[in-house]
Amino acid sequence: MSTHNVWTHKGTFLLAAVGSAVGLGNLWRFPYLAGENGGGAFILIYALTIFAVGIPILIAETMLGRASRRSPIMGMQFLTRTHKTSRAWVSIGWMGAAAAFLILSFYSVIAGWALHYTWLMLTGTLVGADAATIASGFDALLASPGLLTLYHTLFIIASGVIVGMGIHKGIESGLRIMMPALFVILLVVLAYGIANGDFAAAASFLFTFNLGDLSLEGWLEAMGQSFFTLSLGMGAIMAYGAYMASDASLSRTAFAVAFVDTAVAMVAGLAIFSLVFGAGLDAAAGPGLMFVTLPLAFAEMPFGGLIGGVFFILVLGAAISSSISLIEPVAAFLVERFDLTRPQAVFAMVVASWALGLLTVVSFNLWAEASLFHTLFGRSAFDLIELLTNILMPLGGLLIALFAGWALTQSEVMKEMRTSEAWFQVWRFLVRFVAPAAVAFVFLRTIPLVEGYLLPAIGALIIVGAFAAGRTMLAGSGQAQ
Ligand code: PHE
C-alpha cells in the first residue's frame, strides 16, 4: 500500500521541509538559548552540529522516506522487509510517531501564546506599557487555563484543517502562500530592528565566539537545538520525503534546507537582539524573551504595535507550517494502515494530541509547582513531555543514521543521492560514525548528573553499538559494501 502521492513540483519538498524546519525553534527557542548561553559560542557549536550531523541525517531521513514512498511506520516495515533486517528497526517509525504526537501537544500551546500577543499588539493594548505591566500580563496569561486552552484549540484546529485538505490542496497550497509571506515579514522586522534598535550590539553578541562562555549544558543544548530546528528524527522529514520527486537532488536539497533554516534563525536573532539591546533590555531572559522582553521593546518604539503584530503573525505562520509536518506522518500512517479517510485520520491525531496538550496547559497553573503530578515526577507535565521528546528525537536520528548508513546498499544510496563517490564516502562516514557519537553526546543532556567519565563511556558504547548494528545488518542482508 504505497501512498503513490508525489508533490506537484520538483521544488515542493524543499518548500515543505523549510516550512517544517523554520518554526518556534528558530524564532522563539534559538534566540533565547543563544541569549542564555553567551551568544557566539553557542552559535558556533550549533552551526557545526548542523553541518556535521544535521545535514547527513537530514539526507538519510529523506532518503528513507523516498526509498519507501510510505508513511514512516509503513515505510520502515517495507524497508526492513526488502533489506532483510531485523523488524526492530520499525521502531524508528513508532518512536517518530510518538515524538510527533508529544511535540504537537505542547507546540500548539506555545504557538497559542503568539495568537494572544498578535491580538494584544494589533489592538495596541501594550503601547507605552511598562516592564511590570507586560511581565504581569504574561504571568496572567499563563495563569489562565481557559485562555490557554482557547488559543491551543484554535491553533491546532487551523493546523488540522490544512492537513485534512490533503497534501496538494492543503499542505502545498498553504505553504506556497505562507512561506514567501514569512520571508518578507522577517525582512521587514529586521529592517525595523536595524532602524530602531542597536544592530551593532546584536551582531557582536551573536558573532563574537568565545568558547569559554559555553558550559557543558550549553554544548548539549546547542546540539539538541540543531536536531529540533531541522525537524529531525521523528518522521516529519521522512513523511515529506515520501512525496519527493525521484529526480530532485537529495544532497542539494538538504544543504538548502539547513542553510535557509540557519539563516532564518540568525536573522531572527539579529532582529530580536537589535530591539532588545536598543531598548536596553536583558538578552538572557530565557523562554520569556519573546513574550516579555520583546513586547516591551515594541511597546517603547514607534509603530511598535503594528510591527509587533506583524512579527507575531510571522511566529504563528512559522509555527503552523511546522505543526502540519507533525500531523502528516501520523495521519498518513492511519490512512495507509486503517483505511481511514484523511479527515478522519487527521481528526484522530489532532484530538488525541489536543487532549494531551491540556497537560501542558495546566503545567503553568493548576498543576504547577505544588501539585501531585509535580511531586510524583519531580517536574511539570510540560517539562516531562519536553524531556521525552528530547530523548526520542536524537534516538530516532541515531537509528535513522545507522539504518541508512549500514542497511542501504551503496548503489541504492548513489541512486538516491546522485552525487560523486567522494561525497558518498564522506556522507556514509558521517552517518555511520560521527552522527552516532554526536548523538551519544546529546543524550547526556537528559541525564541529570553527568559525571566526567560518563561522557566517553556512553560515547564508546554507542559507537560499539553502531558497529554491532552495522555488522548484523550487513550479515543479514548479504549486502556488505
Ligand atoms: N523544526 C521545528 C521548529 O524549529 C520544530 C519541529 C520539530 C517540527 C520536529 C517538526 C518536527 O520549530
Side-chain angles (χ1 to χ4, degrees):
M1 266 203 297
S2 121
T3 57
H4 291 303
N5 263 322
V6 175
W7 300 115
T8 319
H9 297 281
K10 202 168 152 179
T12 307
F13 172 80
L14 175 62
L15 184 72
V18 167
S20 172
V22 172
L24 295 175
N26 306 59
L27 304 173
W28 168 64
R29 213 161 175 245
F30 169 79
Y32 90 69
L33 286 179
E36 282 181 331
N37 291 290
F42 178 87
I43 292 183
L44 185 65
I45 302 304
Y46 167 84
L48 281 179
T49 317
I50 295 256
F51 279 91
V53 185
I55 292 180
I57 297 186
L58 188 58
I59 294 176
E61 189 170 339
T62 316
M63 195 185 293
L64 295 185
R66 192 164 73 174
S68 66
R69 291 238 177 266
R70 285 161 172 79
S71 69
I73 296 173
M74 304 300 267
M76 286 314 298
Q77 282 177 358
F78 172 77
L79 291 175
T80 53
R81 230 181 9 251
T82 48
H83 290 78
K84 300 199 176 53
T85 52
S86 157
R87 301 267 296 167
W89 293 97
V90 179
S91 59
I92 293 177
W94 287 110
M95 283 181 357
F101 171 72
L102 294 171
I103 296 175
L104 181 63
S105 78
F106 70 79
Y107 204 80
S108 167
V109 175
I110 295 174
W113 302 352
L115 209 53
H116 182 70
Y117 278 87
T118 309
W119 175 252
L120 292 185
M121 288 288 164
L122 291 180
T123 53
T125 313
L126 295 182
V127 172
D130 61 11
T133 315
I134 291 184
S136 66
F138 184 57
D139 293 341
L141 170 68
L142 294 192
S144 163
L147 265 187
L148 292 183
T149 306
L150 171 71
Y151 294 127
H152 166 49
T153 311
L154 291 175
F155 180 83
I156 215 165
I157 289 179
S159 314
V161 166
I162 296 178
V163 185
M165 287 165 67
I167 69 163
H168 301 299
K169 281 214 186 91
I171 299 182
E172 271 196 76
S173 323
L175 289 170
R176 208 161 288 140
I177 303 168
M178 267 190 296
M179 299 311 289
L182 296 185
F183 290 113
V184 174
I185 297 182
L186 186 62
L187 293 180
V188 169
V189 176
L190 178 67
Y192 179 81
I194 295 175
N196 293 284
D198 191 343
F199 184 77
S204 93
F205 177 68
L206 288 178
F207 302 123
T208 310
F209 303 109
N210 180 3
L211 272 186
D213 292 346
L214 208 56
S215 60
L216 175 63
E217 177 63 20
W219 266 79
L220 303 177
E221 295 252 43
M223 299 182 70
Q225 169 64 8
S226 59
F227 269 93
F228 186 79
T229 191
L230 288 179
S231 305
L232 291 180
M234 42 86 28
I237 293 297
M238 211 190 291
Y240 279 175
Y243 310 136
M244 186 185 194
S246 311
D247 57 347
S249 159
L250 269 185
S251 323
R252 226 176 308 144
T253 310
F255 271 98
V257 172
F259 176 78
V260 177
D261 184 67
T262 307
V264 169
M266 300 298 161
V267 171
L270 283 171
I272 291 175
F273 287 118
S274 293
L275 294 170
V276 167
F277 291 137
L281 300 170
D282 178 18
L289 181 69
M290 175 181 283
F291 297 104
V292 179
T293 313
L294 197 60
L296 183 57
F298 281 126
E300 293 173 358
M301 286 177 189
F303 305 107
L306 179 64
I307 302 290
V310 167
F311 173 80
F312 281 104
I313 290 177
L314 164 72
V315 176
L316 273 177
I320 283 210
S321 66
S322 298
S323 65
I324 57 180
S325 76
L326 291 161
I327 301 176
E328 180 59 26
V330 179
F333 166 69
L334 295 176
V335 170
E336 282 172 45
R337 176 71 182 73
F338 299 107
D339 257 345
L340 298 185
T341 64
R342 179 169 267 272
Q344 286 168 338
V346 170
F347 187 76
M349 159 70 172
V350 162
V351 167
S353 208
W354 175 84
L356 185 69
L358 296 180
L359 281 183
T360 293
V361 165
V362 294
S363 297
F364 297 106
N365 36 69
L366 304 177
W367 285 9
E369 289 325 44
S371 73
L372 180 63
F373 192 96
H374 215 279
T375 323
L376 283 180
F377 296 98
R379 46 173 64 77
S380 72
F382 169 54
D383 289 339
L384 184 69
I385 293 172
E386 227 213 335
L387 178 69
L388 275 176
T389 59
N390 281 336
I391 297 173
L392 287 173
M393 290 187 77
L395 194 59
L398 166 73
L399 296 179
I400 287 169
L402 291 178
F403 191 87
W406 295 99
L408 301 185
T409 61
Q410 172 161 2
S411 61
E412 223 174 346
V413 174
M414 290 292 277
K415 195 178 111 227
E416 290 289 344
M417 290 206 354
R418 295 158 183 272
T419 40
S420 63
E421 166 85 21
W423 167 233
F424 164 77
Q425 294 293 352
V426 172
W427 172 81
R428 199 167 62 174
F429 178 73
L430 291 172
V431 285
R432 279 186 170 183
F433 304 108
V434 178
V439 170
F441 198 65
V442 173
F443 270 127
L444 297 180
R445 178 158 164 242
T446 54
I447 301 172
L449 270 179
V450 182
E451 305 282 351
Y453 60 85
L454 257 182
L455 176 75
I458 295 185
L461 256 178
I462 292 209
I463 291 179
V464 171
F467 262 119
R471 292 195 66 95
T472 355
M473 270 194 268
L474 294 181
S477 58
Q479 289 165 334
Q481 290 285 338

PDB file of all heavy atoms in Angstrom, residues 260-284:
ATOM      1  N   VAL A 260      18.766  27.642   4.760  1.00  0.00           N
ATOM      2  CA  VAL A 260      17.653  28.576   4.991  1.00  0.00           C
ATOM      3  C   VAL A 260      17.262  28.569   6.466  1.00  0.00           C
ATOM      4  O   VAL A 260      17.038  29.618   7.077  1.00  0.00           O
ATOM      5  CB  VAL A 260      16.430  28.224   4.109  1.00  0.00           C
ATOM      6  CG1 VAL A 260      15.263  29.147   4.423  1.00  0.00           C
ATOM      7  CG2 VAL A 260      16.792  28.304   2.640  1.00  0.00           C
ATOM      8  N   ASP A 261      17.204  27.376   7.047  1.00  0.00           N
ATOM      9  CA  ASP A 261      16.802  27.273   8.448  1.00  0.00           C
ATOM     10  C   ASP A 261      17.769  28.049   9.344  1.00  0.00           C
ATOM     11  O   ASP A 261      17.357  28.791  10.247  1.00  0.00           O
ATOM     12  CB  ASP A 261      16.755  25.798   8.853  1.00  0.00           C
ATOM     13  CG  ASP A 261      16.252  25.625  10.269  1.00  0.00           C
ATOM     14  OD1 ASP A 261      15.063  25.922  10.501  1.00  0.00           O
ATOM     15  OD2 ASP A 261      17.037  25.221  11.139  1.00  0.00           O
ATOM     16  N   THR A 262      19.074  27.875   9.082  1.00  0.00           N
ATOM     17  CA  THR A 262      20.069  28.570   9.892  1.00  0.00           C
ATOM     18  C   THR A 262      19.991  30.075   9.650  1.00  0.00           C
ATOM     19  O   THR A 262      20.056  30.879  10.591  1.00  0.00           O
ATOM     20  CB  THR A 262      21.485  28.050   9.548  1.00  0.00           C
ATOM     21  OG1 THR A 262      21.463  26.636   9.661  1.00  0.00           O
ATOM     22  CG2 THR A 262      22.519  28.615  10.487  1.00  0.00           C
ATOM     23  N   ALA A 263      19.829  30.454   8.373  1.00  0.00           N
ATOM     24  CA  ALA A 263      19.753  31.877   8.057  1.00  0.00           C
ATOM     25  C   ALA A 263      18.563  32.525   8.761  1.00  0.00           C
ATOM     26  O   ALA A 263      18.679  33.631   9.308  1.00  0.00           O
ATOM     27  CB  ALA A 263      19.654  32.073   6.546  1.00  0.00           C
ATOM     28  N   VAL A 264      17.424  31.830   8.787  1.00  0.00           N
ATOM     29  CA  VAL A 264      16.255  32.408   9.454  1.00  0.00           C
ATOM     30  C   VAL A 264      16.518  32.581  10.950  1.00  0.00           C
ATOM     31  O   VAL A 264      16.192  33.623  11.533  1.00  0.00           O
ATOM     32  CB  VAL A 264      14.990  31.540   9.229  1.00  0.00           C
ATOM     33  CG1 VAL A 264      13.855  31.991  10.125  1.00  0.00           C
ATOM     34  CG2 VAL A 264      14.569  31.589   7.770  1.00  0.00           C
ATOM     35  N   ALA A 265      17.156  31.582  11.553  1.00  0.00           N
ATOM     36  CA  ALA A 265      17.459  31.704  12.979  1.00  0.00           C
ATOM     37  C   ALA A 265      18.376  32.902  13.232  1.00  0.00           C
ATOM     38  O   ALA A 265      18.174  33.674  14.175  1.00  0.00           O
ATOM     39  CB  ALA A 265      18.105  30.416  13.503  1.00  0.00           C
ATOM     40  N   MET A 266      19.373  33.077  12.362  1.00  0.00           N
ATOM     41  CA  MET A 266      20.323  34.192  12.544  1.00  0.00           C
ATOM     42  C   MET A 266      19.623  35.544  12.357  1.00  0.00           C
ATOM     43  O   MET A 266      19.817  36.473  13.141  1.00  0.00           O
ATOM     44  CB  MET A 266      21.475  34.124  11.523  1.00  0.00           C
ATOM     45  CG  MET A 266      22.301  32.873  11.591  1.00  0.00           C
ATOM     46  SD  MET A 266      23.141  32.698  13.177  1.00  0.00           S
ATOM     47  CE  MET A 266      23.501  30.952  13.145  1.00  0.00           C
ATOM     48  N   VAL A 267      18.843  35.644  11.282  1.00  0.00           N
ATOM     49  CA  VAL A 267      18.160  36.916  11.013  1.00  0.00           C
ATOM     50  C   VAL A 267      17.180  37.222  12.145  1.00  0.00           C
ATOM     51  O   VAL A 267      17.111  38.356  12.639  1.00  0.00           O
ATOM     52  CB  VAL A 267      17.434  36.872   9.647  1.00  0.00           C
ATOM     53  CG1 VAL A 267      16.560  38.102   9.471  1.00  0.00           C
ATOM     54  CG2 VAL A 267      18.453  36.786   8.519  1.00  0.00           C
ATOM     55  N   ALA A 268      16.456  36.199  12.592  1.00  0.00           N
ATOM     56  CA  ALA A 268      15.527  36.418  13.704  1.00  0.00           C
ATOM     57  C   ALA A 268      16.298  36.855  14.942  1.00  0.00           C
ATOM     58  O   ALA A 268      15.897  37.790  15.654  1.00  0.00           O
ATOM     59  CB  ALA A 268      14.729  35.144  13.997  1.00  0.00           C
ATOM     60  N   GLY A 269      17.438  36.191  15.186  1.00  0.00           N
ATOM     61  CA  GLY A 269      18.266  36.552  16.334  1.00  0.00           C
ATOM     62  C   GLY A 269      18.736  38.002  16.235  1.00  0.00           C
ATOM     63  O   GLY A 269      18.641  38.765  17.193  1.00  0.00           O
ATOM     64  N   LEU A 270      19.231  38.376  15.043  1.00  0.00           N
ATOM     65  CA  LEU A 270      19.714  39.754  14.849  1.00  0.00           C
ATOM     66  C   LEU A 270      18.594  40.757  15.076  1.00  0.00           C
ATOM     67  O   LEU A 270      18.771  41.778  15.756  1.00  0.00           O
ATOM     68  CB  LEU A 270      20.271  39.921  13.435  1.00  0.00           C
ATOM     69  CG  LEU A 270      21.662  39.325  13.192  1.00  0.00           C
ATOM     70  CD1 LEU A 270      22.008  39.350  11.709  1.00  0.00           C
ATOM     71  CD2 LEU A 270      22.713  40.088  13.999  1.00  0.00           C
ATOM     72  N   ALA A 271      17.420  40.474  14.503  1.00  0.00           N
ATOM     73  CA  ALA A 271      16.295  41.399  14.630  1.00  0.00           C
ATOM     74  C   ALA A 271      15.884  41.522  16.100  1.00  0.00           C
ATOM     75  O   ALA A 271      15.734  42.628  16.637  1.00  0.00           O
ATOM     76  CB  ALA A 271      15.125  40.924  13.780  1.00  0.00           C
ATOM     77  N   ILE A 272      15.722  40.361  16.758  1.00  0.00           N
ATOM     78  CA  ILE A 272      15.232  40.375  18.137  1.00  0.00           C
ATOM     79  C   ILE A 272      16.232  41.067  19.070  1.00  0.00           C
ATOM     80  O   ILE A 272      15.874  41.926  19.877  1.00  0.00           O
ATOM     81  CB  ILE A 272      14.917  38.935  18.607  1.00  0.00           C
ATOM     82  CG1 ILE A 272      13.692  38.426  17.851  1.00  0.00           C
ATOM     83  CG2 ILE A 272      14.702  38.878  20.116  1.00  0.00           C
ATOM     84  CD1 ILE A 272      13.336  36.988  18.124  1.00  0.00           C
ATOM     85  N   PHE A 273      17.528  40.718  18.933  1.00  0.00           N
ATOM     86  CA  PHE A 273      18.508  41.312  19.852  1.00  0.00           C
ATOM     87  C   PHE A 273      18.757  42.788  19.545  1.00  0.00           C
ATOM     88  O   PHE A 273      19.090  43.552  20.448  1.00  0.00           O
ATOM     89  CB  PHE A 273      19.804  40.500  19.876  1.00  0.00           C
ATOM     90  CG  PHE A 273      19.637  39.200  20.621  1.00  0.00           C
ATOM     91  CD1 PHE A 273      19.814  37.977  19.988  1.00  0.00           C
ATOM     92  CD2 PHE A 273      19.244  39.185  21.953  1.00  0.00           C
ATOM     93  CE1 PHE A 273      19.630  36.778  20.667  1.00  0.00           C
ATOM     94  CE2 PHE A 273      19.049  38.001  22.645  1.00  0.00           C
ATOM     95  CZ  PHE A 273      19.240  36.789  21.996  1.00  0.00           C
ATOM     96  N   SER A 274      18.597  43.195  18.271  1.00  0.00           N
ATOM     97  CA  SER A 274      18.699  44.631  17.978  1.00  0.00           C
ATOM     98  C   SER A 274      17.668  45.384  18.800  1.00  0.00           C
ATOM     99  O   SER A 274      17.956  46.404  19.433  1.00  0.00           O
ATOM    100  CB  SER A 274      18.419  44.927  16.498  1.00  0.00           C
ATOM    101  OG  SER A 274      19.420  44.388  15.696  1.00  0.00           O
ATOM    102  N   LEU A 275      16.433  44.860  18.783  1.00  0.00           N
ATOM    103  CA  LEU A 275      15.353  45.527  19.514  1.00  0.00           C
ATOM    104  C   LEU A 275      15.589  45.462  21.018  1.00  0.00           C
ATOM    105  O   LEU A 275      15.406  46.440  21.748  1.00  0.00           O
ATOM    106  CB  LEU A 275      14.009  44.883  19.158  1.00  0.00           C
ATOM    107  CG  LEU A 275      13.584  45.075  17.699  1.00  0.00           C
ATOM    108  CD1 LEU A 275      12.375  44.223  17.359  1.00  0.00           C
ATOM    109  CD2 LEU A 275      13.281  46.551  17.446  1.00  0.00           C
ATOM    110  N   VAL A 276      16.022  44.263  21.485  1.00  0.00           N
ATOM    111  CA  VAL A 276      16.216  44.076  22.921  1.00  0.00           C
ATOM    112  C   VAL A 276      17.335  44.984  23.441  1.00  0.00           C
ATOM    113  O   VAL A 276      17.169  45.688  24.443  1.00  0.00           O
ATOM    114  CB  VAL A 276      16.517  42.589  23.218  1.00  0.00           C
ATOM    115  CG1 VAL A 276      17.031  42.399  24.641  1.00  0.00           C
ATOM    116  CG2 VAL A 276      15.263  41.744  22.987  1.00  0.00           C
ATOM    117  N   PHE A 277      18.475  45.018  22.721  1.00  0.00           N
ATOM    118  CA  PHE A 277      19.581  45.876  23.180  1.00  0.00           C
ATOM    119  C   PHE A 277      19.242  47.350  22.983  1.00  0.00           C
ATOM    120  O   PHE A 277      19.618  48.203  23.788  1.00  0.00           O
ATOM    121  CB  PHE A 277      20.880  45.531  22.445  1.00  0.00           C
ATOM    122  CG  PHE A 277      21.432  44.185  22.829  1.00  0.00           C
ATOM    123  CD1 PHE A 277      21.928  43.309  21.866  1.00  0.00           C
ATOM    124  CD2 PHE A 277      21.449  43.783  24.160  1.00  0.00           C
ATOM    125  CE1 PHE A 277      22.434  42.066  22.222  1.00  0.00           C
ATOM    126  CE2 PHE A 277      21.962  42.526  24.526  1.00  0.00           C
ATOM    127  CZ  PHE A 277      22.448  41.672  23.553  1.00  0.00           C
ATOM    128  N   GLY A 278      18.532  47.642  21.880  1.00  0.00           N
ATOM    129  CA  GLY A 278      18.141  49.031  21.620  1.00  0.00           C
ATOM    130  C   GLY A 278      17.300  49.593  22.755  1.00  0.00           C
ATOM    131  O   GLY A 278      17.375  50.771  23.095  1.00  0.00           O
ATOM    132  N   ALA A 279      16.489  48.719  23.356  1.00  0.00           N
ATOM    133  CA  ALA A 279      15.637  49.163  24.453  1.00  0.00           C
ATOM    134  C   ALA A 279      16.343  49.000  25.800  1.00  0.00           C
ATOM    135  O   ALA A 279      15.731  49.178  26.858  1.00  0.00           O
ATOM    136  CB  ALA A 279      14.325  48.385  24.442  1.00  0.00           C
ATOM    137  N   GLY A 280      17.629  48.608  25.748  1.00  0.00           N
ATOM    138  CA  GLY A 280      18.398  48.454  26.981  1.00  0.00           C
ATOM    139  C   GLY A 280      17.943  47.292  27.847  1.00  0.00           C
ATOM    140  O   GLY A 280      18.041  47.332  29.066  1.00  0.00           O
ATOM    141  N   LEU A 281      17.455  46.223  27.208  1.00  0.00           N
ATOM    142  CA  LEU A 281      16.926  45.093  27.981  1.00  0.00           C
ATOM    143  C   LEU A 281      17.930  43.943  28.024  1.00  0.00           C
ATOM    144  O   LEU A 281      18.949  43.948  27.332  1.00  0.00           O
ATOM    145  CB  LEU A 281      15.599  44.633  27.378  1.00  0.00           C
ATOM    146  CG  LEU A 281      14.505  45.710  27.368  1.00  0.00           C
ATOM    147  CD1 LEU A 281      13.307  45.252  26.547  1.00  0.00           C
ATOM    148  CD2 LEU A 281      14.078  46.035  28.796  1.00  0.00           C
ATOM    149  N   ASP A 282      17.577  42.921  28.813  1.00  0.00           N
ATOM    150  CA  ASP A 282      18.483  41.813  29.083  1.00  0.00           C
ATOM    151  C   ASP A 282      18.303  40.685  28.060  1.00  0.00           C
ATOM    152  O   ASP A 282      17.183  40.241  27.796  1.00  0.00           O
ATOM    153  CB  ASP A 282      18.176  41.299  30.504  1.00  0.00           C
ATOM    154  CG  ASP A 282      19.025  40.109  30.871  1.00  0.00           C
ATOM    155  OD1 ASP A 282      20.061  39.901  30.206  1.00  0.00           O
ATOM    156  OD2 ASP A 282      18.656  39.406  31.822  1.00  0.00           O
ATOM    157  N   ALA A 283      19.429  40.192  27.501  1.00  0.00           N
ATOM    158  CA  ALA A 283      19.365  39.137  26.486  1.00  0.00           C
ATOM    159  C   ALA A 283      19.056  37.772  27.090  1.00  0.00           C
ATOM    160  O   ALA A 283      18.571  36.878  26.417  1.00  0.00           O
ATOM    161  CB  ALA A 283      20.690  39.060  25.730  1.00  0.00           C
ATOM    162  N   ALA A 284      19.354  37.603  28.362  1.00  0.00           N
ATOM    163  CA  ALA A 284      19.269  36.273  28.960  1.00  0.00           C
ATOM    164  C   ALA A 284      17.948  36.051  29.696  1.00  0.00           C
ATOM    165  O   ALA A 284      17.911  35.543  30.798  1.00  0.00           O
ATOM    166  CB  ALA A 284      20.450  36.050  29.902  1.00  0.00           C
TER     167      ALA A 284
END
